[in-house]
Amino acid sequence: MRVAAQVVMGALAGLLYVWASHWLMTAAPHSSWNAVALLAPMLMLIVLMAWRARQRAVALVGLAVLAVLVLTAGLGRGVPQRWLFLGQHVVIHLALAALFGISLRRGSEALISSVARHVHGHLTPDMARYSRKVTIAWVLYFITMAALSVALFKFAPFDAWAAFANWLTPLAVMLMFGGEHLLRYRLHPEFERVRMVQVIAAYARRTSPQSAEVSNHSGLVKP
């Protein structure tokens, strides 16, 4: 029940963010506070993840960017709408790259490895190495998508960038998931087949304080 509640709350928060983004872009497209409203949640997520991982420099950069956005908005200088769309797309991917990348620091367990351990109960050395490589692959994927977004925005027509952001991005995520799924069971058939709900539940347990405490006492590396 607790996991279900966390999933529902996360979904509702995501829907609220999407609704707020849409409302700002349609009802108040010229507001100087649009950039703050759209980018602040993602920047704060990066700051919190970096601070928890003791990456103080990354956290301070995130706070500095947020401060610049607030100062700019306070002076009545809004970000042009197209630049705002670009910023939202790029920051989402960089935030996800940070989430996966921080777990790769020395002395930590990679994000995919940690989730896989919660799902399967244990990992063989080969499974642990593979899941760490998958975490690295996702970091590279998110960084590549952010770089492609900037390149298309700069050198291609805006319609081409919009098609990339709105249509090709979700397709690329599905292809990444599907390709990794097929590769996983081809290279490591010992991975037990699981349902997506089990993965979500494992991630929720992984990020809970109780899980972190249990991991510490059991000798597992805390991510």
Side-chain angles (χ1 to χ4, degrees):
M1 292 295 293
R2 180 181 301 174
V3 171
Q6 291 175 339
V7 172
V8 170
M9 291 300 293
L12 289 175
L15 288 173
L16 178 61
Y17 177 76
V18 171
W19 174 85
S21 300
H22 179 75
W23 183 86
L24 283 169
M25 291 180 182
T26 56
H30 303 296
S31 172
S32 61
W33 289 94
N34 277 357
V36 177
L38 291 177
L39 301 181
M42 291 175 284
L43 286 171
M44 287 306 302
L45 177 62
I46 294 174
V47 169
L48 291 174
M49 290 188 306
W51 194 265
R52 180 186 177 189
R54 297 181 180 178
Q55 300 290 328
R56 305 301 191 224
V58 176
L60 291 175
V61 169
L63 287 174
V65 173
L66 182 58
V68 169
L69 288 175
V70 172
L71 178 61
T72 302
L75 295 174
R77 299 175 182 175
V79 178
Q81 197 171 43
R82 289 189 175 186
W83 284 93
L84 189 55
F85 294 154
L86 173 67
Q88 186 181 29
H89 188 258
V90 170
V91 170
I92 285 174
H93 283 85
L94 292 182
L96 290 170
L99 173 64
F100 282 69
I102 286 173
S103 71
L104 294 169
R105 68 191 187 280
R106 180 174 298 181
S108 297
E109 186 174 50
L111 183 90
I112 302 297
S113 302
S114 181
V115 172
R117 188 184 298 279
H118 278 85
V119 171
H120 300 289
H122 71 283
L123 297 179
T124 67
D126 285 344
M127 293 166 70
R129 282 192 292 271
Y130 172 78
S131 54
R132 183 176 181 84
K133 290 178 181 178
V134 173
T135 306
I136 296 172
W138 276 108
V139 172
L140 295 176
Y141 166 81
F142 291 129
I143 293 175
T144 299
M145 292 296 286
L148 284 174
S149 184
V150 173
L152 283 173
F153 187 87
K154 181 174 179 60
F155 298 110
F158 182 76
D159 288 347
W161 177 86
F164 170 78
N166 296 322
W167 298 105
L168 294 183
T169 295
L171 179 60
V173 170
M174 289 188 289
L175 288 175
M176 184 77 172
F177 267 115
E180 189 279 316
H181 179 83
L182 294 175
L183 184 63
R184 181 195 325 157
Y185 293 115
R186 181 179 179 85
L187 296 179
H188 295 281
E190 67 271 25
F191 270 107
E192 177 184 354
R193 295 184 181 273
V194 296
R195 296 173 297 169
M196 183 57 66
V197 66
Q198 292 174 272
V199 177
I200 295 174
Y203 181 78
R205 288 196 302 270
R206 175 193 174 278
T207 54
S208 67
Q210 294 88 346
S211 176
E213 184 177 353
V214 170
S215 296
N216 286 339
H217 289 305
S218 63
L220 294 177
V221 178
K222 179 181 176 183

